[in-house]
Structure formats: C-alpha cells, structure tokens
Amino acid sequence: MFNSLSDRLTATFKNLRGKGRLSEADVDGTVREIRRALLDADVAVPVVREFVAQVKERALGEEVSTSLNPGQQIVKIVNDELVRILGGQTRRLNLAKVPPTVIMLAGLQGAGKTTLAGKLAKHLKSQGHTPLLVACDLQRPNAVKQLQVNGERAGVPVFAPHPGVSSEFEASTGDPVAVARDGIAEAKTKLHDIVIVDTAGRLGVDTEMMEQAADIRAAINPDEVLFVIDAMIGQDAVNTAQAFNDGVNFTGVVLTKLDGDARGGAALSVASVTGKPVMFASTGENLDDFEIFHPDRMASRILD
Ligand code: GDP
C-alpha cells in the first residue's frame, strides 16, 4: 500500500536535491508534482487542496531552518502535513473510568470487522486486559461462527446466544440490540474490563443497517465506536466514512487490508474528511497482522 505515492513523492524531492534557496517557481513546480501524486493515489480532492495550500504557504514562508537545506525543508513540511491529515498524534483507546470499557465496531460487510475484533481482543489481552467479544452481526450467516473461531484463536471468550444454548439470554436471540445489552451485562457479571461489540454490515450503506448500528450505539453508549474501513475500496472510502460518521458518529478509524497493493490515498483521506483519527491498522488475515496506528510513523514510511 502507498508504494506508488511513496515513489512519486520521493522522485519529486530528488529534483530539489543540491538546490540552494528555492525560488517561487521551484516551489510551484514541486507543489504541482505533489498535487498530482496525491490525486493519482486517490487522496480526496478537498484534502489535496488543503494539503498543497499548506505546503505552499509554509515553503514560501519564512521557515528558514539553519540545519536543513531547502529540499529537506520541503520534505519536512510534507511530512508534517501527512501527519496532520492522518490525525496528528497517536490516539490511544479511551478507557472507561468504571469498567467495562465498551468498544463498538461498525463498517461495511467485508471491511474486516470480525477479523479486527479478534485482533483487537488478542492485542488487549496481551496488554493485561480481560476482553469479552460480543457477536451482534446476526445478518451474515457465518459471522457469529467466525467470531467464535477468532475468539478461540485469541483466547478470548465470545458472547453469542443461540436458541436453546443460552437459557439466560434466550430472549435476546435474533435482536442485535438486545444481544449487545446482554453482552455488556455478561461482562459486568464475569468482570471483563473491555467489551468488543461486532455489528452487522451490508455491501453498501443502507438506511436499515445504519439505523440498526445507531440503535446499538444508543443502547450501549460505547466509550469508542471504531469505523472499520477496507483501504482497498478506493474513492468510495470517503463517502462511506461520511455516511457512517453521520449515522453512528464514530470516534476512531481502523484501516484494514493495508497489506494490499491499492493506491490507498482515499483511506488516507478518511481521518481528514471526518475529523476522526486513525487508531489501528490491519495488515493481513492473521490475528497478529495488527498495528497501533502512528500517524508520524506512517508519514515516514510513505516518505522513506
Ligand atoms: P466483516 O464482514 O467486516 O466482518 O469482514 P471480515 O472480518 O469477515 O473480513 C472479510 C475478509 O477480509 C476475510 O476474508 C478476511 O480474512 C479478510 N481480511 C480482513 N482483514 C484483512 C487484512 O487486513 N488484510 C487482508 N489481506 N485480508 C483481510
């Protein structure tokens, strides 16, 4: 992911190497190249516009550093801008003062929510937490089973009532809002300090799905709502993110499938367009293919 963007930006900066003071024409040419590279990588147009305006303003401004040559200075400015559009500082999970902390996952079907639920549970367990996974994706036939498999792999229990299996929670079977509520009650009883609630997605944004997600959110009042987005979906990422932001007012973003070779710029735009930070990244199908997202490290990776 981001390879072609990375190559393009690096090539642009190469042209500045060895230059003394940059003329306005140098800056204009460079900014034009940066704009093209970002657009070609699918970065959303408003994000590109703001990005290049900032770069130009700072590059032409009085920012003269004694330790950096002009080329290095532009690289630093672009780096700072990349960090900014990715959400600035690394954002940690907001943990509830009184446990359990409730984390709800939302996103389109196939985005990687159920996989992410297992990854997050494993990660949190390794940090000394005692998570409980709650299976509220009752839409996709295999989702509950898949979460159970992931839970088993992560060594984390899964709350997933089935008819005749869970007598205590039988009433909630089939109703994701009730399952979510009962899952949290279960976590309180069994002293889990974190609850991860997996919800249903559809192939596209639709009103019914969004209402269901909004109902779950209203019923469980989560400490975090993580919007899970497949970085491979390209330009649709921004519209989808906006729809989910309107629908469930998410608190953070998880980018998945960063191991793919798509251009990825749309995914890079999601934080900027919604004003919500990217918090985690998913980089493969295994439970360990998971990273805490550091905007500064991602920017360095792109500019390396
Ligand atoms: P959900 O419908 O949102 O719950 O999505 P799933 O968790 O079922 O994921 C959909 C598909 O994407 C599955 O085949 C996963 O194995 C795969 N997947 C999930 N995350 C990643 C990732 O980061 N990289 C890759 N390559 N595949 C992933």
Side-chain angles (χ1 to χ4, degrees):
M1 189 71 70
F2 313 127
N3 287 346
S4 86
L5 175 61
S6 183
D7 291 348
R8 289 277 296 276
L9 291 176
T10 315
T12 303
F13 300 140
K14 219 176 247 170
N15 295 334
L16 297 175
R17 217 178 268 167
K19 287 215 183 230
R21 205 180 151 66
L22 296 185
S23 66
E24 189 157 350
D26 288 330
V27 171
D28 278 344
T30 305
V31 165
R32 211 174 307 125
E33 286 300 312
I34 294 170
R35 177 189 286 120
R36 276 202 209 113
L38 293 172
L39 288 173
D40 287 350
D42 275 348
V43 177
V45 173
V47 178
V48 175
R49 202 175 293 139
E50 170 72 12
F51 192 105
V52 296
Q54 289 290 331
V55 171
K56 187 164 178 185
E57 189 185 313
R58 289 184 55 189
L60 290 176
E62 77 301 359
E63 276 191 39
V64 181
S65 157
T66 44
S67 57
L68 298 177
N69 67 40
Q72 289 169 323
Q73 220 151 311
I74 291 221
V75 176
K76 178 174 183 317
I77 294 169
V78 171
N79 181 78
D80 291 350
E81 283 305 304
L82 279 173
V83 173
R84 186 183 62 78
I85 67 165
L86 291 171
Q89 289 193 338
T90 306
R91 211 313 235 113
R92 292 181 178 280
L93 275 176
N94 176 28
L95 296 179
K97 287 198 186 75
V98 181
T101 295
V102 177
I103 303 171
M104 172 177 164
L105 307 181
L108 294 181
Q109 184 174 316
K113 285 183 299 300
T114 307
T115 310
L116 190 269
K119 292 177 177 188
L120 189 57
K122 186 170 183 194
H123 165 73
L124 291 169
K125 190 179 174 199
S126 77
Q127 307 274 300
H129 292 287
T130 53
L132 175 70
L133 287 159
V134 177
C136 292
D137 182 354
L138 309 180
Q139 220 97 46
R140 196 157 55 88
N142 218 14
V144 173
K145 178 92 200 81
Q146 196 190 330
L147 192 68
Q148 284 167 328
V149 168
N150 283 342
E152 206 164 297
R153 284 196 192 129
V156 169
V158 177
F159 178 79
H162 286 293
V165 175
S166 161
S167 53
E168 196 183 338
F169 293 111
E170 210 157 340
S172 65
T173 306
D175 174 3
V177 175
V179 173
R181 260 202 218 109
D182 290 345
I184 291 165
E186 165 98 347
K188 285 182 182 155
T189 312
K190 301 241 170 101
L191 302 180
H192 293 281
D193 67 344
I194 297 188
V195 187
I196 301 169
V197 180
D198 188 21
T199 66
R202 298 276 168 86
L203 288 175
V205 174
D206 76 42
T207 324
E208 198 190 325
M209 180 259 288
M210 203 59 86
E211 275 171 8
Q212 185 187 94
D215 286 348
I216 295 176
R217 192 196 205 295
I220 62 176
N221 189 25
D223 301 282
E224 296 278 9
V225 179
L226 300 182
F227 169 60
V228 181
I229 176 97
D230 176 346
M232 306 276 281
I233 72 171
Q235 296 283 4
D236 274 350
V238 168
N239 293 337
T240 307
Q242 272 167 329
F244 272 89
N245 202 24
D246 293 343
V248 295
N249 188 20
F250 55 78
T251 58
V253 179
V254 181
L255 298 180
T256 66
K257 311 192 192 178
L258 285 192
D259 49 313
D261 59 3
R263 292 173 284 192
L268 291 185
S269 317
V270 166
S272 184
V273 166
T274 61
K276 308 289 169 75
V278 183
M279 295 175 65
F280 301 104
S282 199
T283 56
E285 296 192 75
N286 294 319
L287 287 195
D288 291 324
D289 299 329
F290 172 83
E291 292 174 18
I292 294 173
F293 191 88
H294 300 285
D296 55 346
R297 287 188 210 164
M298 179 53 79
S300 312
R301 228 190 275 173
I302 291 172
L303 294 180
D304 234 5

